[in-house]
């Protein structure tokens, strides 16, 4: 049992949860993920680590309340427990001195890009963080991201904060920066990562994405997380979740992600409280 | 033998009561209902108590079979349990899932007359009888030795090592990656063949003996074997063979295509057969193909059938070559699973939305027997044909998960990704690390995993009590 220390809606529909899980915190590296279960017999929910504190033995994740299982997570309060917190899983993000790195986060990816940006900064890179959102009221963690980046770029669809635009304007954002970008890292929904990768392809900038495929065990046992990368099948949970965005078969990723959409809706068709 | 028959040798193997076919093909309750005391005693009385019992010779853990059978015949079930459990700590499980026809029952003196004793059913009877008793007999535990052992994996191998070592006074902690203990017994083998409460009971028994169990703990990720060695005197790796294989063909990543592990995990570990009561979703398919001919294929097919799908097993050789247990093949046939032999799928065909809509297959014929005596299948040129399916399950095998091999320096790994261990002691090439079960042999059987674990426990105990000599 893992005690919840904090669980709150930080912007509409995005939640940040902090949990006591010392062993996970102890081994955590940037870009790794955990699997939660919100209740006994519950679904296994993969979530990227957004922060951790080895001393305090805590980990932090951000999630979007989208289906039955995340809805259940959202009802939990500090002091309650989760039956499962397992991790850290997956390979960590490659951290090295690359030069200037652009870290793009949207939705819960704003949170999950944070430890990656922090590690890149510590490794001596110039870090530029781009926060992408529909509107200014969906932006959070500005202070945390600012503390680990040399420059912060806001990109909102309605222009209420920073540049007006969306992930499809990424190439333009990169062109207007005063420095050459050596690497791009994209975190967020599959659409953001796909669209962002399309933007950087013609610019020939190495681009890494953190895939959020369907998963069950997260240890390479079931294979539901299969993705085709460079014409080869990979298991996102153990071979990834980080892949070259220019080599991912995005049509397949999108299709596989939708496999259980109808079933995920069935349990929501109820007035019974979660 | 002839004489014996004249003397009234009873060759009438008592049949196993089962749920009627029409009923069971629509539920997930256990198929075989088990002998009652009367049937068990009748069956046990048929045993001729051989001086040199062929059954024991073929039992991988050398259970004193005539001994426990005699106890049943005498109606002294407690004695039977003691004899059985001296060698096999999971009789309720093994009685249900062991391939007895190849093991004990295959060595029975009465086999020639087709009257071999139903040893598996008797074993199951004793295991279940014991569990039904109000006060479980807890064995003697040796005084604490102060030694600590970490066990990686809560499958049959890990559970067996833990049970043996705790009784010898060592402190034992099992680390299990999933959220439930039991390994393949909980995530793979379906409820209708091995009810999960039986596995829970065995796990609970070990807990009462003092075994510590940590679930949701992936060794190699949460913590490495090397790091465990800093805190424990010995480590046993029983992490199984959990890496699924897919037949090599285009279209495997279409929606509706599963590994057997995924399909079975959704239904067993995540209890998908009760969806939407549980949140892990499962699909309602109508025409399901299962590729393969082993026990795993039978389990997938019989699960799909119970979910209401027309289910077909595609196997590239003929019925005789199928590696699954005969009993499971017969159960599947009775329940209405369709079989297409000498059929090799070569491509998953998808629709415009990325869902599988069928398999392109090619017909096979059996060629000359190869060195091993098996006739290998060869494709018949030009015999391609199409079969419509809305789900395809690959049940062609598994190999050991590379997580521990990759994160444990100094441990020798074999060609098939298995951990190399001495078959007599389970010792690996890494000091203080033992291994056993599927992670060493590749996908095998519960009883072989238990046997290997037994031998490893003995070796670990020798080391712990006499480390100087190692
Ligand atoms: C569907 C199916 C049906 C079968 N039917 C039969 C049958 O009828 N009869 C029979 O005898 N055999 C059968 N088998 C085979 C049998 O189940 C296995 O041979 C046996 O379970 C092997 O035991 P094990 O303890 O070595 O491994 P497993 O049972 O695989 O257990 C290994 C455990 O280790 C855990 N683990 C793996 N990696 C890690 C890690 N890094 N850290 C922590 N934990 C980890 C796994 O989650 C798992 O729980 C079947 C197998 C399957 C898949
Ligand atoms: S071989 Fe058969 S008849 Fe002989 S002791 Fe074993 S079970 Fe009994
Ligand atoms: S989630 Fe099961 S193999 Fe990746």
């Amino acid at each position: 049992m893992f005690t919840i220390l904090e669980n709150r809606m930080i912007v509409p529909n995005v939640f940040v949860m902090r949990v006591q899980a010392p062993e996970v915190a102890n081994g955590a590296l940037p870009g790794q993920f955990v699997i939660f279960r919100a209740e006994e017999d519950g679904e296994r929910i993969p979530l990227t680590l957004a922060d951790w504190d080895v001393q305090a033995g805590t980990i932090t994740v951000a999630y979007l309340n989208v289906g039955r299982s995340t809805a259940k997570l959202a009802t939990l309060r500090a002091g309650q427990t989760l039956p499962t917190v397992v991790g850290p899983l997956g390979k960590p993000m490659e951290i090295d001195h690359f030069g200037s790195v652009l870290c793009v986060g949207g939705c819960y990816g704003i949170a999950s890009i944070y430890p990656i940006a922090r590690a890149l900064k510590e490794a001596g890179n110039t870090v530029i963080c781009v926060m992408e959102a529909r509107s200014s009221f969906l932006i959070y963690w500005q202070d945390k991201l600012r503390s680990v980046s040399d420059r912060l770029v806001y990109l909102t669809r309605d222009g209420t904060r920073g540049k007006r635009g969306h992930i499809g304007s990424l190439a333009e954002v990169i062109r207007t920066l005063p420095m050459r970008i050596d690497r791009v890292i994209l975190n967020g929904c599959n659409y953001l990562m796909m669209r962002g990768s399309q933007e950087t392809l013609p610019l020939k900038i190495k681009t890494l994405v953190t895939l959020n495929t369907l998963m069950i065990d997260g240890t390479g046992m079931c294979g539901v997380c299969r993705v085709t990368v460079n014409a080869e099948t990979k298991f996102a949970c153990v071979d990834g979740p980080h892949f070259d965005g220019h080599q991912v078969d995005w049509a397949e990723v999108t299709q596989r992600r939708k496999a259980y959409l109808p079933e995920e809706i069935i349990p929501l068709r109820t007035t019974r409280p979660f | 033998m002839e004489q014996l028959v004249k003397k009234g040798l009873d060759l009438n193997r008592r049949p196993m009561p089962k749920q009627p076919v029409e009923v069971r093909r629509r539920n997930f309750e256990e198929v075989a209902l088990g002998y009652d005391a009367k049937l068990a005693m009748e069956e046990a009385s048929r045993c001729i108590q051989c001086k040199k019992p062929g059954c024991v010779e073929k039992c991988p853990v050398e259970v004193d079979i005539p001994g426990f059978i005699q106890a049943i015949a005498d109606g002294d079930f407690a004695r039977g349990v003691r004899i059985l459990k001296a060698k096999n700590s999971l009789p309720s499980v093994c009685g249900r899932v062991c391939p007895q026809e190849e093991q004990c029952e295959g060595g029975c003196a009465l086999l020639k007359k087709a009257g071999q004793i139903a040893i598996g059913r008797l074993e199951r009877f004793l295991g279940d009888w014991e569990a039904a008793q109000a006060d479980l007999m807890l064995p003697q535990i040796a005084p604490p030795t102060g030694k600590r052992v970490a066990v990686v994996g809560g499958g049959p191998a890990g559970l067996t090592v833990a049970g043996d070592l705790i009784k010898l006074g060592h402190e034992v902690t099992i680390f299990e990656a999933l959220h439930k203990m039991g390994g393949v017994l909980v995530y793979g083998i379906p409820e209708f063949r091995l009810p999960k409460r039986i596995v829970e009971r065995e796990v609970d028994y070990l807990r009462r003996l003092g075994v510590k169990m940590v679930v949701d703990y992936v060794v190699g990720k949460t913590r490495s074997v090397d790091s465990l060695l800093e805190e424990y005197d010995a480590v046993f790796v029983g992490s199984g063979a959990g890496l699924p294989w897919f037949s090599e063909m285009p279209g495997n990543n279409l929606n509706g295509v599963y590994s057997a592990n995924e399909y079975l995990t959704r239904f067993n570990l995540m209890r998908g057969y009760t969806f939407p009561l549980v949140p892990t979703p499962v699909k309602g398919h109508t025409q399901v193909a299962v590729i393969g001919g082993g026990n795993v294929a039978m389990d997938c097919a019989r699960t799909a059938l119970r979910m209401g799908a027309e289910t077909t097993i595609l196997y590239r050789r003929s019925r005789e070559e199928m590696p699954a247990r005969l009993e499971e093949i017969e159960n599947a046939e009775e329940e209405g699973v369709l079989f297409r032999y000498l059929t090799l799928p070569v491509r998953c065909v998808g629709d415009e939305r990325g869902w599988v809509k069928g398999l392109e297959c090619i017909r096979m014929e059996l060629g000359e027997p190869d060195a091993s005596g098996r006739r290998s299948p060869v494709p018949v040129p030009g015999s391609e044909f199409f079969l419509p399916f809305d789900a395809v399950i690959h049940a062609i095998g598994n190999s050991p998960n590379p997580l521990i091999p990759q994160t444990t320096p100094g441990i020798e790994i074999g060609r098939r990704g298995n951990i190399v261990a001495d078959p007599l002691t389970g010792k690996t090439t890494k000091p203080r690390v033992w291994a056993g079960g599927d992670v060493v042999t590749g996908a095998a059987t519960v009883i072989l995993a238990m046997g290997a674990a037994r031998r490893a426990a003995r070796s670990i105990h020798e080391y712990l009590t006499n480390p100087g000599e190692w």
Side-chain angles (χ1 to χ4, degrees), chain A residues 59-128:
Chain A
I59 58 168
T60 304
V61 296
Y63 60 94
L64 183 69
N65 179 353
V66 272
R68 166 171 170 185
S69 295
T70 43
K72 176 74 199 178
L73 263 192
T75 63
L76 300 175
R77 294 286 162 264
Q80 288 182 286
T81 56
L82 298 170
T84 290
V85 171
V86 55
L89 299 170
K91 296 211 158 85
M93 173 63 82
E94 183 194 1
I95 302 292
D96 207 334
H97 184 84
F98 301 112
S100 299
V101 186
L102 193 75
C103 296
V104 184
C107 191
Y108 54 82
I110 294 179
S112 66
I113 202 87
Y114 166 71
I116 296 172
R118 179 175 62 190
L120 286 167
K121 182 77 193 141
E122 280 163 9
N125 295 283
T126 301
V127 175
I128 301 104

Side-chain angles (χ1 to χ4, degrees), chain A residues 33 35 213-226 235-238, chain B residues 244 262:
Chain A
F33 66 94
I35 288 183
T213 59
L214 297 180
M215 289 192 188
I216 301 179
D217 58 300
T219 66
M221 183 269 275
C222 74
V224 71
C225 59
R226 317 198 277 296
F235 286 8
C237 69
V238 284
Chain B
E262 181 195 343

Side-chain angles (χ1 to χ4, degrees), chain B residues 9 46 109 122 210 229 239 264 322 325-326 358 367 390 399 424 465:
Chain B
L9 181 64
R46 300 200 301 114
L122 293 175
L229 284 169
S239 53
L264 292 172
M322 276 214 289
R325 294 184 57 196
L326 189 61
D390 60 356
S399 54
L424 293 179
T465 46

